[in-house]
Amino acid sequence: MSDSNLTKFMGGSPGQVILRLLFLSFVVGVILSALDLDPLQIVDYAVQFVQRLWNMGFAAIENILRYFAIGAIIVVPIWLVMRLIKSVGR
C-alpha cells in the first residue's frame, strides 16, 4: 500500500490520524471516568441487553437478520465488484 493509498484509507496522514485518535481516546476516557464507567462495565451492559432481548423473544429480530443476511449474500459481492471495477478504472 503506497502512502497515498494509506492516507486515503486512514482519512489523513498516519501521524495526524494517530494524534487525533489519541486525543479522542483521552477525551472519551475522561468522560467515561467522570460518569464512573469502565470499558468492562460497558461490555457487561451490552451483553445483558442482548440477553434481555433474547429472553423477550428474539424470533422476530432473528427473522429480520436472516432477511438481511440473505440479501447481503447478493448485494455485498456486487458492491465489492463494482468498487473494484471503479478503482481499476482510475
PDB file of all heavy atoms in Angstrom, residues 24-59:
ATOM      1  N   LEU A  24      -8.879  11.922  21.027  1.00  0.00           N
ATOM      2  CA  LEU A  24     -10.264  11.487  21.240  1.00  0.00           C
ATOM      3  C   LEU A  24     -10.350  10.399  22.298  1.00  0.00           C
ATOM      4  O   LEU A  24     -11.293  10.381  23.102  1.00  0.00           O
ATOM      5  CB  LEU A  24     -10.871  10.999  19.924  1.00  0.00           C
ATOM      6  CG  LEU A  24     -11.198  12.090  18.909  1.00  0.00           C
ATOM      7  CD1 LEU A  24     -11.637  11.483  17.590  1.00  0.00           C
ATOM      8  CD2 LEU A  24     -12.272  13.015  19.460  1.00  0.00           C
ATOM      9  N   SER A  25      -9.385   9.492  22.320  1.00  0.00           N
ATOM     10  CA  SER A  25      -9.375   8.444  23.341  1.00  0.00           C
ATOM     11  C   SER A  25      -9.243   9.050  24.733  1.00  0.00           C
ATOM     12  O   SER A  25      -9.911   8.622  25.674  1.00  0.00           O
ATOM     13  CB  SER A  25      -8.219   7.469  23.095  1.00  0.00           C
ATOM     14  OG  SER A  25      -8.407   6.790  21.889  1.00  0.00           O
ATOM     15  N   PHE A  26      -8.399  10.070  24.864  1.00  0.00           N
ATOM     16  CA  PHE A  26      -8.229  10.738  26.152  1.00  0.00           C
ATOM     17  C   PHE A  26      -9.529  11.425  26.576  1.00  0.00           C
ATOM     18  O   PHE A  26      -9.971  11.286  27.722  1.00  0.00           O
ATOM     19  CB  PHE A  26      -7.089  11.758  26.074  1.00  0.00           C
ATOM     20  CG  PHE A  26      -6.890  12.533  27.337  1.00  0.00           C
ATOM     21  CD1 PHE A  26      -6.293  11.941  28.442  1.00  0.00           C
ATOM     22  CD2 PHE A  26      -7.327  13.840  27.443  1.00  0.00           C
ATOM     23  CE1 PHE A  26      -6.122  12.655  29.618  1.00  0.00           C
ATOM     24  CE2 PHE A  26      -7.165  14.556  28.604  1.00  0.00           C
ATOM     25  CZ  PHE A  26      -6.557  13.964  29.700  1.00  0.00           C
ATOM     26  N   VAL A  27     -10.158  12.148  25.649  1.00  0.00           N
ATOM     27  CA  VAL A  27     -11.407  12.858  25.975  1.00  0.00           C
ATOM     28  C   VAL A  27     -12.498  11.877  26.378  1.00  0.00           C
ATOM     29  O   VAL A  27     -13.182  12.062  27.390  1.00  0.00           O
ATOM     30  CB  VAL A  27     -11.853  13.733  24.780  1.00  0.00           C
ATOM     31  CG1 VAL A  27     -13.249  14.292  24.999  1.00  0.00           C
ATOM     32  CG2 VAL A  27     -10.865  14.856  24.543  1.00  0.00           C
ATOM     33  N   VAL A  28     -12.663  10.806  25.614  1.00  0.00           N
ATOM     34  CA  VAL A  28     -13.669   9.805  25.943  1.00  0.00           C
ATOM     35  C   VAL A  28     -13.343   9.142  27.272  1.00  0.00           C
ATOM     36  O   VAL A  28     -14.233   8.885  28.088  1.00  0.00           O
ATOM     37  CB  VAL A  28     -13.801   8.763  24.808  1.00  0.00           C
ATOM     38  CG1 VAL A  28     -14.657   7.585  25.231  1.00  0.00           C
ATOM     39  CG2 VAL A  28     -14.385   9.422  23.569  1.00  0.00           C
ATOM     40  N   GLY A  29     -12.067   8.890  27.534  1.00  0.00           N
ATOM     41  CA  GLY A  29     -11.665   8.311  28.817  1.00  0.00           C
ATOM     42  C   GLY A  29     -12.015   9.209  29.984  1.00  0.00           C
ATOM     43  O   GLY A  29     -12.497   8.748  31.023  1.00  0.00           O
ATOM     44  N   VAL A  30     -11.804  10.516  29.826  1.00  0.00           N
ATOM     45  CA  VAL A  30     -12.156  11.463  30.889  1.00  0.00           C
ATOM     46  C   VAL A  30     -13.667  11.470  31.114  1.00  0.00           C
ATOM     47  O   VAL A  30     -14.146  11.447  32.253  1.00  0.00           O
ATOM     48  CB  VAL A  30     -11.639  12.887  30.539  1.00  0.00           C
ATOM     49  CG1 VAL A  30     -12.223  13.932  31.470  1.00  0.00           C
ATOM     50  CG2 VAL A  30     -10.120  12.916  30.599  1.00  0.00           C
ATOM     51  N   ILE A  31     -14.433  11.487  30.024  1.00  0.00           N
ATOM     52  CA  ILE A  31     -15.889  11.499  30.142  1.00  0.00           C
ATOM     53  C   ILE A  31     -16.387  10.226  30.811  1.00  0.00           C
ATOM     54  O   ILE A  31     -17.223  10.275  31.728  1.00  0.00           O
ATOM     55  CB  ILE A  31     -16.544  11.695  28.753  1.00  0.00           C
ATOM     56  CG1 ILE A  31     -16.254  13.096  28.234  1.00  0.00           C
ATOM     57  CG2 ILE A  31     -18.047  11.444  28.815  1.00  0.00           C
ATOM     58  CD1 ILE A  31     -16.632  13.312  26.788  1.00  0.00           C
ATOM     59  N   LEU A  32     -15.878   9.077  30.380  1.00  0.00           N
ATOM     60  CA  LEU A  32     -16.303   7.811  30.987  1.00  0.00           C
ATOM     61  C   LEU A  32     -15.902   7.743  32.456  1.00  0.00           C
ATOM     62  O   LEU A  32     -16.653   7.229  33.294  1.00  0.00           O
ATOM     63  CB  LEU A  32     -15.725   6.626  30.217  1.00  0.00           C
ATOM     64  CG  LEU A  32     -16.308   6.388  28.823  1.00  0.00           C
ATOM     65  CD1 LEU A  32     -15.582   5.236  28.141  1.00  0.00           C
ATOM     66  CD2 LEU A  32     -17.791   6.122  28.889  1.00  0.00           C
ATOM     67  N   SER A  33     -14.735   8.269  32.776  1.00  0.00           N
ATOM     68  CA  SER A  33     -14.290   8.283  34.160  1.00  0.00           C
ATOM     69  C   SER A  33     -15.196   9.188  34.994  1.00  0.00           C
ATOM     70  O   SER A  33     -15.546   8.849  36.126  1.00  0.00           O
ATOM     71  CB  SER A  33     -12.843   8.758  34.242  1.00  0.00           C
ATOM     72  OG  SER A  33     -12.407   8.796  35.575  1.00  0.00           O
ATOM     73  N   ALA A  34     -15.605  10.335  34.442  1.00  0.00           N
ATOM     74  CA  ALA A  34     -16.500  11.246  35.151  1.00  0.00           C
ATOM     75  C   ALA A  34     -17.866  10.600  35.379  1.00  0.00           C
ATOM     76  O   ALA A  34     -18.523  10.876  36.384  1.00  0.00           O
ATOM     77  CB  ALA A  34     -16.652  12.549  34.374  1.00  0.00           C
ATOM     78  N   LEU A  35     -18.278   9.729  34.442  1.00  0.00           N
ATOM     79  CA  LEU A  35     -19.548   9.018  34.594  1.00  0.00           C
ATOM     80  C   LEU A  35     -19.398   7.748  35.414  1.00  0.00           C
ATOM     81  O   LEU A  35     -20.359   7.007  35.591  1.00  0.00           O
ATOM     82  CB  LEU A  35     -20.116   8.679  33.209  1.00  0.00           C
ATOM     83  CG  LEU A  35     -20.506   9.875  32.340  1.00  0.00           C
ATOM     84  CD1 LEU A  35     -20.890   9.402  30.942  1.00  0.00           C
ATOM     85  CD2 LEU A  35     -21.641  10.652  32.976  1.00  0.00           C
ATOM     86  N   ASP A  36     -18.182   7.515  35.902  1.00  0.00           N
ATOM     87  CA  ASP A  36     -17.863   6.331  36.704  1.00  0.00           C
ATOM     88  C   ASP A  36     -18.157   5.036  35.946  1.00  0.00           C
ATOM     89  O   ASP A  36     -18.737   4.107  36.479  1.00  0.00           O
ATOM     90  CB  ASP A  36     -18.601   6.366  38.039  1.00  0.00           C
ATOM     91  CG  ASP A  36     -17.974   5.419  39.058  1.00  0.00           C
ATOM     92  OD1 ASP A  36     -16.758   5.184  38.965  1.00  0.00           O
ATOM     93  OD2 ASP A  36     -18.707   4.918  39.933  1.00  0.00           O
ATOM     94  N   LEU A  37     -17.770   5.016  34.675  1.00  0.00           N
ATOM     95  CA  LEU A  37     -17.918   3.827  33.846  1.00  0.00           C
ATOM     96  C   LEU A  37     -16.542   3.328  33.448  1.00  0.00           C
ATOM     97  O   LEU A  37     -15.618   4.111  33.259  1.00  0.00           O
ATOM     98  CB  LEU A  37     -18.709   4.146  32.576  1.00  0.00           C
ATOM     99  CG  LEU A  37     -20.176   4.496  32.747  1.00  0.00           C
ATOM    100  CD1 LEU A  37     -20.750   4.957  31.414  1.00  0.00           C
ATOM    101  CD2 LEU A  37     -20.954   3.305  33.252  1.00  0.00           C
ATOM    102  N   ASP A  38     -16.432   2.030  33.314  1.00  0.00           N
ATOM    103  CA  ASP A  38     -15.200   1.477  32.753  1.00  0.00           C
ATOM    104  C   ASP A  38     -15.577   0.575  31.588  1.00  0.00           C
ATOM    105  O   ASP A  38     -16.728   0.164  31.460  1.00  0.00           O
ATOM    106  CB  ASP A  38     -14.378   0.742  33.818  1.00  0.00           C
ATOM    107  CG  ASP A  38     -15.060  -0.494  34.352  1.00  0.00           C
ATOM    108  OD1 ASP A  38     -15.126  -1.490  33.615  1.00  0.00           O
ATOM    109  OD2 ASP A  38     -15.523  -0.463  35.510  1.00  0.00           O
ATOM    110  N   PRO A  39     -14.643   0.290  30.700  1.00  0.00           N
ATOM    111  CA  PRO A  39     -14.958  -0.487  29.492  1.00  0.00           C
ATOM    112  C   PRO A  39     -15.597  -1.841  29.784  1.00  0.00           C
ATOM    113  O   PRO A  39     -16.489  -2.267  29.055  1.00  0.00           O
ATOM    114  CB  PRO A  39     -13.606  -0.657  28.806  1.00  0.00           C
ATOM    115  CG  PRO A  39     -12.797   0.492  29.284  1.00  0.00           C
ATOM    116  CD  PRO A  39     -13.252   0.754  30.691  1.00  0.00           C
ATOM    117  N   LEU A  40     -15.165  -2.513  30.843  1.00  0.00           N
ATOM    118  CA  LEU A  40     -15.754  -3.811  31.155  1.00  0.00           C
ATOM    119  C   LEU A  40     -17.218  -3.679  31.551  1.00  0.00           C
ATOM    120  O   LEU A  40     -18.028  -4.545  31.227  1.00  0.00           O
ATOM    121  CB  LEU A  40     -14.953  -4.499  32.257  1.00  0.00           C
ATOM    122  CG  LEU A  40     -13.537  -4.937  31.857  1.00  0.00           C
ATOM    123  CD1 LEU A  40     -12.820  -5.565  33.052  1.00  0.00           C
ATOM    124  CD2 LEU A  40     -13.573  -5.890  30.688  1.00  0.00           C
ATOM    125  N   GLN A  41     -17.581  -2.592  32.238  1.00  0.00           N
ATOM    126  CA  GLN A  41     -18.983  -2.355  32.574  1.00  0.00           C
ATOM    127  C   GLN A  41     -19.806  -2.158  31.314  1.00  0.00           C
ATOM    128  O   GLN A  41     -20.917  -2.679  31.211  1.00  0.00           O
ATOM    129  CB  GLN A  41     -19.139  -1.105  33.443  1.00  0.00           C
ATOM    130  CG  GLN A  41     -18.897  -1.307  34.909  1.00  0.00           C
ATOM    131  CD  GLN A  41     -19.133   0.004  35.662  1.00  0.00           C
ATOM    132  OE1 GLN A  41     -18.702   1.065  35.203  1.00  0.00           O
ATOM    133  NE2 GLN A  41     -19.811  -0.082  36.783  1.00  0.00           N
ATOM    134  N   ILE A  42     -19.264  -1.403  30.365  1.00  0.00           N
ATOM    135  CA  ILE A  42     -19.988  -1.151  29.128  1.00  0.00           C
ATOM    136  C   ILE A  42     -20.214  -2.451  28.363  1.00  0.00           C
ATOM    137  O   ILE A  42     -21.310  -2.712  27.867  1.00  0.00           O
ATOM    138  CB  ILE A  42     -19.229  -0.117  28.261  1.00  0.00           C
ATOM    139  CG1 ILE A  42     -19.207   1.229  28.990  1.00  0.00           C
ATOM    140  CG2 ILE A  42     -19.864   0.026  26.889  1.00  0.00           C
ATOM    141  CD1 ILE A  42     -18.306   2.255  28.364  1.00  0.00           C
ATOM    142  N   VAL A  43     -19.192  -3.289  28.289  1.00  0.00           N
ATOM    143  CA  VAL A  43     -19.339  -4.587  27.629  1.00  0.00           C
ATOM    144  C   VAL A  43     -20.359  -5.433  28.377  1.00  0.00           C
ATOM    145  O   VAL A  43     -21.219  -6.076  27.769  1.00  0.00           O
ATOM    146  CB  VAL A  43     -17.978  -5.313  27.530  1.00  0.00           C
ATOM    147  CG1 VAL A  43     -18.147  -6.746  27.054  1.00  0.00           C
ATOM    148  CG2 VAL A  43     -17.038  -4.551  26.616  1.00  0.00           C
ATOM    149  N   ASP A  44     -20.313  -5.415  29.699  1.00  0.00           N
ATOM    150  CA  ASP A  44     -21.263  -6.169  30.507  1.00  0.00           C
ATOM    151  C   ASP A  44     -22.688  -5.681  30.272  1.00  0.00           C
ATOM    152  O   ASP A  44     -23.615  -6.481  30.142  1.00  0.00           O
ATOM    153  CB  ASP A  44     -20.894  -6.067  31.987  1.00  0.00           C
ATOM    154  CG  ASP A  44     -21.706  -7.007  32.859  1.00  0.00           C
ATOM    155  OD1 ASP A  44     -21.903  -8.171  32.448  1.00  0.00           O
ATOM    156  OD2 ASP A  44     -22.143  -6.568  33.945  1.00  0.00           O
ATOM    157  N   TYR A  45     -22.888  -4.355  30.202  1.00  0.00           N
ATOM    158  CA  TYR A  45     -24.212  -3.800  29.921  1.00  0.00           C
ATOM    159  C   TYR A  45     -24.713  -4.253  28.555  1.00  0.00           C
ATOM    160  O   TYR A  45     -25.891  -4.587  28.385  1.00  0.00           O
ATOM    161  CB  TYR A  45     -24.199  -2.273  29.973  1.00  0.00           C
ATOM    162  CG  TYR A  45     -23.976  -1.685  31.338  1.00  0.00           C
ATOM    163  CD1 TYR A  45     -23.378  -0.442  31.479  1.00  0.00           C
ATOM    164  CD2 TYR A  45     -24.346  -2.355  32.501  1.00  0.00           C
ATOM    165  CE1 TYR A  45     -23.164   0.122  32.733  1.00  0.00           C
ATOM    166  CE2 TYR A  45     -24.137  -1.811  33.752  1.00  0.00           C
ATOM    167  CZ  TYR A  45     -23.544  -0.569  33.864  1.00  0.00           C
ATOM    168  OH  TYR A  45     -23.339  -0.009  35.104  1.00  0.00           O
ATOM    169  N   ALA A  46     -23.828  -4.260  27.572  1.00  0.00           N
ATOM    170  CA  ALA A  46     -24.217  -4.670  26.227  1.00  0.00           C
ATOM    171  C   ALA A  46     -24.618  -6.146  26.200  1.00  0.00           C
ATOM    172  O   ALA A  46     -25.623  -6.524  25.583  1.00  0.00           O
ATOM    173  CB  ALA A  46     -23.086  -4.409  25.245  1.00  0.00           C
ATOM    174  N   VAL A  47     -23.860  -6.987  26.895  1.00  0.00           N
ATOM    175  CA  VAL A  47     -24.174  -8.414  26.950  1.00  0.00           C
ATOM    176  C   VAL A  47     -25.512  -8.625  27.652  1.00  0.00           C
ATOM    177  O   VAL A  47     -26.365  -9.407  27.191  1.00  0.00           O
ATOM    178  CB  VAL A  47     -23.046  -9.204  27.654  1.00  0.00           C
ATOM    179  CG1 VAL A  47     -23.470 -10.627  27.967  1.00  0.00           C
ATOM    180  CG2 VAL A  47     -21.794  -9.191  26.790  1.00  0.00           C
ATOM    181  N   GLN A  48     -25.737  -7.930  28.760  1.00  0.00           N
ATOM    182  CA  GLN A  48     -27.018  -8.041  29.474  1.00  0.00           C
ATOM    183  C   GLN A  48     -28.177  -7.586  28.598  1.00  0.00           C
ATOM    184  O   GLN A  48     -29.253  -8.193  28.602  1.00  0.00           O
ATOM    185  CB  GLN A  48     -26.983  -7.225  30.760  1.00  0.00           C
ATOM    186  CG  GLN A  48     -26.111  -7.815  31.836  1.00  0.00           C
ATOM    187  CD  GLN A  48     -26.020  -6.905  33.060  1.00  0.00           C
ATOM    188  OE1 GLN A  48     -26.679  -5.877  33.141  1.00  0.00           O
ATOM    189  NE2 GLN A  48     -25.192  -7.298  34.015  1.00  0.00           N
ATOM    190  N   PHE A  49     -27.970  -6.511  27.821  1.00  0.00           N
ATOM    191  CA  PHE A  49     -29.011  -6.013  26.929  1.00  0.00           C
ATOM    192  C   PHE A  49     -29.395  -7.066  25.893  1.00  0.00           C
ATOM    193  O   PHE A  49     -30.580  -7.320  25.657  1.00  0.00           O
ATOM    194  CB  PHE A  49     -28.531  -4.729  26.244  1.00  0.00           C
ATOM    195  CG  PHE A  49     -29.483  -4.200  25.220  1.00  0.00           C
ATOM    196  CD1 PHE A  49     -30.666  -3.586  25.607  1.00  0.00           C
ATOM    197  CD2 PHE A  49     -29.193  -4.310  23.872  1.00  0.00           C
ATOM    198  CE1 PHE A  49     -31.546  -3.091  24.655  1.00  0.00           C
ATOM    199  CE2 PHE A  49     -30.066  -3.823  22.918  1.00  0.00           C
ATOM    200  CZ  PHE A  49     -31.245  -3.217  23.311  1.00  0.00           C
ATOM    201  N   VAL A  50     -28.390  -7.688  25.280  1.00  0.00           N
ATOM    202  CA  VAL A  50     -28.651  -8.718  24.272  1.00  0.00           C
ATOM    203  C   VAL A  50     -29.345  -9.913  24.911  1.00  0.00           C
ATOM    204  O   VAL A  50     -30.283 -10.482  24.328  1.00  0.00           O
ATOM    205  CB  VAL A  50     -27.343  -9.135  23.560  1.00  0.00           C
ATOM    206  CG1 VAL A  50     -27.544 -10.352  22.678  1.00  0.00           C
ATOM    207  CG2 VAL A  50     -26.795  -7.977  22.748  1.00  0.00           C
ATOM    208  N   GLN A  51     -28.930 -10.286  26.109  1.00  0.00           N
ATOM    209  CA  GLN A  51     -29.574 -11.409  26.799  1.00  0.00           C
ATOM    210  C   GLN A  51     -31.031 -11.099  27.093  1.00  0.00           C
ATOM    211  O   GLN A  51     -31.910 -11.955  26.917  1.00  0.00           O
ATOM    212  CB  GLN A  51     -28.838 -11.739  28.093  1.00  0.00           C
ATOM    213  CG  GLN A  51     -27.525 -12.444  27.880  1.00  0.00           C
ATOM    214  CD  GLN A  51     -26.751 -12.641  29.175  1.00  0.00           C
ATOM    215  OE1 GLN A  51     -27.002 -11.962  30.166  1.00  0.00           O
ATOM    216  NE2 GLN A  51     -25.796 -13.562  29.153  1.00  0.00           N
ATOM    217  N   ARG A  52     -31.330  -9.861  27.521  1.00  0.00           N
ATOM    218  CA  ARG A  52     -32.723  -9.481  27.780  1.00  0.00           C
ATOM    219  C   ARG A  52     -33.546  -9.502  26.505  1.00  0.00           C
ATOM    220  O   ARG A  52     -34.694  -9.955  26.507  1.00  0.00           O
ATOM    221  CB  ARG A  52     -32.793  -8.102  28.437  1.00  0.00           C
ATOM    222  CG  ARG A  52     -32.578  -8.189  29.941  1.00  0.00           C
ATOM    223  CD  ARG A  52     -32.797  -6.843  30.609  1.00  0.00           C
ATOM    224  NE  ARG A  52     -31.442  -6.321  30.863  1.00  0.00           N
ATOM    225  CZ  ARG A  52     -31.026  -5.108  30.585  1.00  0.00           C
ATOM    226  NH1 ARG A  52     -31.822  -4.209  30.104  1.00  0.00           N
ATOM    227  NH2 ARG A  52     -29.786  -4.754  30.828  1.00  0.00           N
ATOM    228  N   LEU A  53     -32.964  -9.009  25.402  1.00  0.00           N
ATOM    229  CA  LEU A  53     -33.667  -9.072  24.119  1.00  0.00           C
ATOM    230  C   LEU A  53     -33.979 -10.515  23.738  1.00  0.00           C
ATOM    231  O   LEU A  53     -35.084 -10.834  23.299  1.00  0.00           O
ATOM    232  CB  LEU A  53     -32.825  -8.442  23.015  1.00  0.00           C
ATOM    233  CG  LEU A  53     -32.928  -6.949  22.809  1.00  0.00           C
ATOM    234  CD1 LEU A  53     -32.002  -6.515  21.675  1.00  0.00           C
ATOM    235  CD2 LEU A  53     -34.333  -6.521  22.504  1.00  0.00           C
ATOM    236  N   TRP A  54     -32.988 -11.367  23.903  1.00  0.00           N
ATOM    237  CA  TRP A  54     -33.157 -12.779  23.556  1.00  0.00           C
ATOM    238  C   TRP A  54     -34.251 -13.408  24.412  1.00  0.00           C
ATOM    239  O   TRP A  54     -35.097 -14.135  23.898  1.00  0.00           O
ATOM    240  CB  TRP A  54     -31.839 -13.520  23.749  1.00  0.00           C
ATOM    241  CG  TRP A  54     -31.902 -14.933  23.242  1.00  0.00           C
ATOM    242  CD1 TRP A  54     -32.212 -16.043  23.948  1.00  0.00           C
ATOM    243  CD2 TRP A  54     -31.670 -15.357  21.910  1.00  0.00           C
ATOM    244  NE1 TRP A  54     -32.179 -17.143  23.144  1.00  0.00           N
ATOM    245  CE2 TRP A  54     -31.845 -16.745  21.880  1.00  0.00           C
ATOM    246  CE3 TRP A  54     -31.324 -14.695  20.744  1.00  0.00           C
ATOM    247  CZ2 TRP A  54     -31.692 -17.495  20.721  1.00  0.00           C
ATOM    248  CZ3 TRP A  54     -31.165 -15.440  19.593  1.00  0.00           C
ATOM    249  CH2 TRP A  54     -31.351 -16.818  19.591  1.00  0.00           C
ATOM    250  N   ASN A  55     -34.247 -13.117  25.699  1.00  0.00           N
ATOM    251  CA  ASN A  55     -35.236 -13.692  26.603  1.00  0.00           C
ATOM    252  C   ASN A  55     -36.646 -13.164  26.337  1.00  0.00           C
ATOM    253  O   ASN A  55     -37.629 -13.831  26.648  1.00  0.00           O
ATOM    254  CB  ASN A  55     -34.841 -13.436  28.054  1.00  0.00           C
ATOM    255  CG  ASN A  55     -33.611 -14.214  28.457  1.00  0.00           C
ATOM    256  OD1 ASN A  55     -33.310 -15.257  27.881  1.00  0.00           O
ATOM    257  ND2 ASN A  55     -32.875 -13.695  29.428  1.00  0.00           N
ATOM    258  N   MET A  56     -36.771 -11.953  25.790  1.00  0.00           N
ATOM    259  CA  MET A  56     -38.087 -11.388  25.498  1.00  0.00           C
ATOM    260  C   MET A  56     -38.697 -11.996  24.231  1.00  0.00           C
ATOM    261  O   MET A  56     -39.858 -11.748  23.930  1.00  0.00           O
ATOM    262  CB  MET A  56     -38.005  -9.868  25.335  1.00  0.00           C
ATOM    263  CG  MET A  56     -37.779  -9.144  26.629  1.00  0.00           C
ATOM    264  SD  MET A  56     -37.945  -7.347  26.518  1.00  0.00           S
ATOM    265  CE  MET A  56     -37.023  -6.911  25.081  1.00  0.00           C
ATOM    266  N   GLY A  57     -37.950 -12.728  23.507  1.00  0.00           N
ATOM    267  CA  GLY A  57     -38.464 -13.303  22.269  1.00  0.00           C
ATOM    268  C   GLY A  57     -37.776 -12.687  21.082  1.00  0.00           C
ATOM    269  O   GLY A  57     -38.220 -11.689  20.538  1.00  0.00           O
ATOM    270  N   PHE A  58     -36.717 -13.272  20.685  1.00  0.00           N
ATOM    271  CA  PHE A  58     -35.841 -12.717  19.673  1.00  0.00           C
ATOM    272  C   PHE A  58     -36.204 -13.224  18.273  1.00  0.00           C
ATOM    273  O   PHE A  58     -35.551 -12.899  17.310  1.00  0.00           O
ATOM    274  CB  PHE A  58     -34.399 -13.126  20.023  1.00  0.00           C
ATOM    275  CG  PHE A  58     -33.378 -12.151  19.577  1.00  0.00           C
ATOM    276  CD1 PHE A  58     -33.214 -10.951  20.243  1.00  0.00           C
ATOM    277  CD2 PHE A  58     -32.561 -12.429  18.500  1.00  0.00           C
ATOM    278  CE1 PHE A  58     -32.247 -10.055  19.845  1.00  0.00           C
ATOM    279  CE2 PHE A  58     -31.590 -11.537  18.095  1.00  0.00           C
ATOM    280  CZ  PHE A  58     -31.436 -10.345  18.765  1.00  0.00           C
ATOM    281  N   ALA A  59     -37.280 -13.980  18.158  1.00  0.00           N
ATOM    282  CA  ALA A  59     -37.606 -14.622  16.877  1.00  0.00           C
ATOM    283  C   ALA A  59     -37.852 -13.604  15.769  1.00  0.00           C
ATOM    284  O   ALA A  59     -37.389 -13.792  14.639  1.00  0.00           O
ATOM    285  CB  ALA A  59     -38.805 -15.533  17.041  1.00  0.00           C
TER     286      ALA A  59
END
